[in-house]
Amino acid sequence: MRFPQLKIGQQFEYQGKQYTKTGPLTASEEGTGASAMIRRSAEVTLIDGAVSGALKQQVKQSYSREEVNELCKGYRTRIIQESQKIADVNGTLQLEQLLVLIKDNDMFESIL
């Protein structure tokens, strides 16, 4: 099948590597997360209909201003809660810990 026939979030194989489609012309390499441009004409092999992470459920493609505000508030609340859990006894948090928390896709996807 050709790359444009895939839905965003589907996993596929291309040139011996496994990817997840992230956009109309982009994909993320499994394992490394490296972003790659994939030609529209590229022949890809679907991996057993696999869909990655939160994209197992159909992710809404457009949001109203109010919905975006609510999603941001929810994300902010979760960041605060999770950072309080991992802060040390003095209430301090190392920058590296905070960045790991912010980059946690599972937490972000749970809000969607």
Side-chain angles (χ1 to χ4, degrees), residues 12-13 30 32 39 44 53 69 104:
F12 63 97
E13 187 171 314
E30 294 298 312
T32 67
R39 297 184 328 266
V44 300
N69 283 334
D104 182 359

Side-chain angles (χ1 to χ4, degrees), residues 1 3 16-17 23-24 29 38 43 51 58 67 70-71 74-75 82 85 89-90 94 97 109:
M1 77 184 326
F3 183 70
K17 296 179 182 176
E29 186 177 345
I38 308 290
E43 281 290 330
V51 177
Q58 187 63 5
E67 289 173 314
E70 287 303 313
L71 288 170
Y75 184 66
E82 296 299 320
K85 286 181 188 175
V89 179
N90 299 323
Q94 298 296 320
Q97 293 173 303
E109 292 172 354

Side-chain angles (χ1 to χ4, degrees), residues 70-86:
E70 287 303 313
L71 288 170
C72 289
K73 285 179 186 176
Y75 184 66
R76 181 177 178 268
T77 300
R78 284 290 303 274
I79 288 286
I80 291 168
Q81 291 170 346
E82 296 299 320
S83 62
Q84 288 172 341
K85 286 181 188 175
I86 61 173

Side-chain angles (χ1 to χ4, degrees), residues 10-108:
Q10 286 187 302
Q11 295 178 337
F12 63 97
E13 187 171 314
Y14 176 64
Q15 296 181 339
K17 296 179 182 176
Q18 292 187 358
Y19 295 90
T20 299
K21 184 172 181 175
T22 56
L25 296 173
T26 57
S28 171
E29 186 177 345
E30 294 298 312
T32 67
S35 186
M37 293 284 290
I38 308 290
R39 297 184 328 266
R40 287 186 189 141
S41 61
E43 281 290 330
V44 300
T45 304
L46 185 62
I47 300 176
D48 296 325
V51 177
S52 178
L55 297 172
K56 290 178 183 174
Q57 62 205 22
Q58 187 63 5
V59 175
K60 191 173 177 179
Q61 295 297 311
S62 63
Y63 294 88
S64 71
R65 182 182 183 99
E66 293 79 26
E67 289 173 314
V68 171
N69 283 334
E70 287 303 313
L71 288 170
C72 289
K73 285 179 186 176
Y75 184 66
R76 181 177 178 268
T77 300
R78 284 290 303 274
I79 288 286
I80 291 168
Q81 291 170 346
E82 296 299 320
S83 62
Q84 288 172 341
K85 286 181 188 175
I86 61 173
D88 66 16
V89 179
N90 299 323
T92 59
L93 189 65
Q94 298 296 320
L95 178 59
E96 184 177 321
Q97 293 173 303
L98 184 59
L99 292 175
V100 167
L101 183 62
I102 290 170
K103 293 177 184 179
D104 182 359
N105 284 333
D106 290 334
M107 183 180 65
F108 178 73

